[in-house]
Amino acid sequence: MKKTILLIFVLSIFMACHNPSKKQSKPKLVVGIVVDQMRYDYLVRFADKYGEGGFKRLLREGFSVQNTHYNYIPTYTAVGHTSIFTGTTPINHGIISNNWYDKYLKKIVYCVDDNNYRTIGNDGEGGRKSPNRQLTTTITDQLRLAQNMQNKTIGVSIKDRAAILPAGHTANAAYWFDGGAQGTWVSSSYYIKELPNWVQEFNKSGKVDAYLSKPWETLYDINTYTESIADDNNFEGTFNGEEKPVFPHDIPALRSKNNNYTILKYTPSGNSLTKDFAEAAIIGENLGKSKFTDFLTLSFSCTDYVGHQYGVASKEIEDTYLRLDKDLESFLQFLDQKIGKGNYTLFLTADHAAVQVPAYLQSIKIPAKYFSYVKYEQFIKEVCKKYFKSEDLVENISNFQIFLNKEKIESLKLDVNTVAQRLADESISYKGIYKAVTARTLQTTSFDKGILNSLQNGYNQKLSGDVLLVPTPATVSYPKKGTTHGSGYSYDTHVPLIFYGNGIKQGVSKKEHEITDIAPTIATLLQIEAPNGNTGKVITEVLK
């Protein structure tokens, strides 16, 4: 009798494990959320003030990868969004910055500008964009390919680059907010010929003006914002028309002096508007309603604008995240209702983090510096004149890279590698420069760890400069009010990463993972090929 019961028990387990009907069904919708400029420590720092339904719900019910870092330089918005969704770094995907010097066109180019296309949604220039500078596929492209283009991919963000690059080459559409005098959501003729009715209706809804009709006041009593420094300080920027960077910010009175609708980007209301538009996209495009898996890429950009203006320790940044937490709670409830809890998979991360305002660090005796390109360019001219009798050997210095004038160098019968190495060697003596490496070194030497490994991962032989520079920690080229990002140091590379929903375990990992691991992990979950330039690894502990 006991043997019979044991046999039945074993057979029942075997059948449960091999019954196709018991297999985990694929999600109806994947949502990839990027919070622009979100440091990992914001999850912890503001935790006591977060509600139970936003960040805390994701952490409680999802899987948090606590030690996720960017593994390349530079940590900028376009590069971050591209690396998340391609599973690789600039060495392969070709988005080496937001703007960079094109050594073939001999001019600065913007990552998504494309004059082959026109704006869809208004008569301005804000929609002349495409993902054509992105050289590899994205996870969104791979999902479209795997389903013979029968699913949908929609990209949404206030920033054009944050909508376009994650959605990939095959997206049905990407939408972004055109500020200034326009105040509407637009797209590009790369994707569509005209705005769908649901976008037109959204633009006519009056939501934008409604969000701009009220002053920006703190969500809670400002005296309870003890996680931030004093509201009135010398380290924060202001809106045009303001005397001090303090609450409340009278947005209705200030908008005319701050490029009209563009001011919305610098307030938490811009995130709320983005959330509203994403919900409208899900309804308008019927995402998650077919037998195929759809993908929504959603980037909250206002956190970045606020961070740049006020810094990472400000009352404004704290209030922005407390309000974003409310928006996340609302959005998750929307997904539960419209897609169904258990029917969607979501991940949340950031495209980079940010450094504390260097002037603030200096005030408390922590080493920090400001880097002047104008002064450095003069220094380089003097070096060139001293060693090579010419000041015209450099075409451009930007993004901590030097692009040499190779035609001039050849005309003087000089060796390009010799010139580059001399500039690198001399740059080490320049205040604020920590390391300087030539392109030749990056092509012939493999750095397997540390800051030079990050520099190498961000180097693209076809597109990058001839000398690459690494500034000292907490050194930025930025005004002394507010802050920025871009380095390979932990304050810029350490970001949150949370997976949630269909096919995802509950749990926490303290192992170090790279941002490029997201795309292959989602590919494995969906049982599709990873992006064609992928260098990331699957985070196996996340998956059921």
Side-chain angles (χ1 to χ4, degrees):
M1 183 66 179
K2 289 183 178 179
K3 288 183 178 180
T4 302
I5 293 173
L6 179 60
L7 180 60
I8 293 171
F9 176 71
V10 171
L11 284 172
S12 66
I13 292 177
F14 178 84
M15 292 300 292
C17 292
H18 292 79
N19 186 348
S21 66
K22 296 291 185 181
K23 282 186 177 180
Q24 178 75 38
S25 60
K26 289 185 180 180
K28 294 181 178 181
L29 177 67
V30 179
V31 182
I33 298 178
V34 180
V35 183
D36 205 321
Q37 204 188 111
M38 185 176 183
R39 291 163 55 108
Y40 173 80
D41 63 1
Y42 291 160
L43 281 178
V44 179
R45 199 166 114 206
F46 307 135
D48 289 346
K49 292 185 174 63
Y50 288 145
E52 294 300 317
F55 287 117
K56 283 186 177 179
R57 172 179 167 179
L58 295 178
L59 290 168
R60 183 175 62 249
E61 300 177 17
F63 195 103
S64 177
V65 187
Q66 294 183 337
N67 201 14
T68 301
H69 284 264
Y70 277 87
N71 59 333
Y72 62 78
I73 299 169
T75 44
Y76 292 139
T77 296
V79 199
H81 283 79
T82 302
S83 299
I84 291 166
F85 287 87
T86 63
T88 191
T89 67
I91 198 171
N92 291 317
H93 63 57
I95 301 297
I96 62 171
S97 188
N98 293 334
N99 305 272
W100 64 86
Y101 181 72
D102 188 311
K103 53 192 176 185
Y104 307 102
L105 298 177
K106 308 297 184 185
K107 67 177 184 178
I108 298 292
V109 297
Y110 177 58
C111 56
V112 292
D113 273 352
D114 195 332
N115 289 329
N116 293 310
Y117 302 98
R118 62 184 177 85
T119 304
I120 302 297
N122 62 43
D123 57 1
E125 299 292 307
R128 306 191 71 176
K129 315 289 179 186
S130 85
N132 282 338
R133 284 193 172 90
Q134 188 169 254
L135 302 177
T136 61
T137 62
T138 59
I139 186 62
T140 49
D141 287 325
Q142 295 299 146
L143 184 58
R144 292 273 280 155
L145 289 168
Q147 298 177 108
N148 296 316
M149 309 296 283
Q150 296 178 87
N151 70 317
K152 286 186 176 182
T153 295
I154 302 293
V156 173
S157 176
I158 271 187
K159 288 183 180 180
D160 50 24
R161 57 188 180 272
I164 293 168
L165 297 170
H169 301 272
T170 60
N172 299 82
Y175 299 100
W176 54 95
F177 185 70
D178 198 3
Q182 302 287 355
T184 57
W185 290 84
V186 300
S187 190
S188 164
S189 60
Y190 174 88
Y191 305 102
I192 54 179
K193 294 181 179 179
E194 61 181 3
L195 289 183
N197 287 335
W198 68 265
V199 181
Q200 295 181 43
E201 291 302 314
F202 191 94
N203 282 336
K204 295 175 185 175
S205 68
K207 281 181 174 288
V208 178
D209 285 302
Y211 278 123
L212 289 172
S213 67
K214 298 177 182 179
W216 177 12
E217 299 177 339
T218 54
L219 181 62
Y220 305 119
D221 183 349
I222 194 170
N223 294 315
T224 67
Y225 284 25
T226 54
E227 295 77 17
S228 310
I229 61 176
D231 192 28
D232 188 5
N233 61 70
N234 294 321
F235 314 114
E236 300 175 11
T238 59
F239 288 114
N240 292 330
E242 279 188 323
E243 293 184 4
K244 294 183 177 181
V246 298
F247 280 105
H249 301 285
D250 192 352
I251 302 303
L254 293 168
R255 63 183 286 187
S256 64
K257 296 180 180 180
N258 292 270
N259 200 15
N260 200 358
Y261 287 104
T262 300
I263 195 173
L264 188 67
K265 300 179 180 182
Y266 292 83
T267 75
S269 294
N271 286 332
S272 300
L273 180 71
T274 304
K275 188 265 301 183
D276 294 343
F277 190 85
E279 292 176 355
I282 290 171
I283 295 172
E285 297 290 341
N286 291 312
L287 299 185
K289 297 301 182 182
S290 74
K291 64 179 181 179
F292 303 102
T293 300
D294 296 322
F295 209 123
L296 174 72
T297 70
L298 174 58
S299 182
F300 291 105
S301 301
C302 300
T303 43
D304 183 68
Y305 289 106
V306 174
H308 277 296
Q309 180 152 308
Y310 298 102
V312 306
S314 63
K315 303 291 187 194
E316 284 79 5
I317 205 70
E318 179 168 357
D319 192 68
T320 297
Y321 276 91
L322 297 183
R323 290 180 180 275
L324 178 60
D325 182 61
K326 295 287 188 185
D327 285 330
L328 279 175
E329 179 175 4
S330 173
F331 185 61
L332 291 172
Q333 290 172 350
F334 173 87
L335 292 175
D336 291 344
Q337 190 176 53
K338 297 297 181 181
I339 310 300
K341 192 172 184 180
N343 289 332
Y344 62 91
T345 301
L346 178 151
F347 66 83
L348 182 148
T349 189
D351 57 345
H352 52 74
V355 65
Q356 291 269 5
V357 179
Y360 170 66
L361 294 177
Q362 291 172 347
S363 76
I364 55 175
K365 301 180 181 180
I366 292 177
K369 294 181 177 65
Y370 287 92
F371 181 87
S372 168
Y373 275 104
V374 173
K375 292 179 180 179
Y376 179 70
E377 286 174 5
Q378 185 57 43
F379 168 80
I380 289 297
K381 282 185 178 182
E382 292 171 1
V383 170
C384 290
K385 187 176 181 180
K386 176 179 178 180
Y387 290 96
F388 305 110
K389 313 302 182 189
S390 174
E391 294 184 352
D392 301 321
L393 304 186
V394 172
E395 283 186 357
N396 178 268
I397 301 177
S398 57
N399 292 319
F400 287 102
Q401 297 187 33
I402 301 174
F403 293 82
L404 294 177
N405 184 338
K406 294 179 181 178
E407 292 181 0
K408 182 67 175 181
I409 290 172
E410 289 178 7
S411 72
L412 294 175
K413 298 186 175 359
L414 297 170
D415 177 67
V416 169
N417 293 323
T418 300
V419 174
Q421 190 61 58
R422 171 59 66 181
L423 297 185
D425 292 342
E426 294 297 316
S427 291
I428 290 299
S429 66
Y430 192 83
K431 187 176 181 180
I433 298 298
Y434 180 54
K435 291 183 181 293
V437 182
T438 66
R440 181 71 173 172
T441 297
L442 294 176
Q443 293 166 21
T444 57
T445 307
S446 180
F447 299 98
D448 59 1
K449 60 183 178 180
I451 201 78
L452 291 182
N453 172 255
S454 295
L455 191 69
Q456 193 161 49
N457 287 336
Y459 169 75
N460 185 292
Q461 183 177 357
K462 189 176 183 69
L463 302 172
S464 298
D466 300 289
V467 179
L468 289 82
L469 310 169
V470 178
T472 52
T475 296
V476 302
S477 173
Y478 203 73
K480 292 189 176 182
K481 307 282 188 178
T483 195
T484 192
H485 48 84
S487 80
Y489 297 111
S490 183
Y491 54 75
D492 279 337
T493 66
H494 190 195
V495 295
L497 175 56
I498 309 170
F499 293 89
Y500 175 88
N502 185 300
I504 304 299
K505 291 179 182 177
Q506 291 176 266
V508 173
S509 173
K510 298 184 182 299
K511 296 178 183 177
E512 184 165 351
H513 287 280
E514 296 173 340
I515 203 70
T516 49
D517 295 343
I518 296 173
T521 301
I522 294 297
T524 299
L525 171 72
L526 298 175
Q527 297 181 335
I528 63 174
E529 285 297 318
N532 62 14
N534 177 69
T535 53
K537 298 178 181 178
V538 178
I539 310 175
T540 55
E541 58 262 51
V542 163
L543 304 175
K544 285 184 179 178

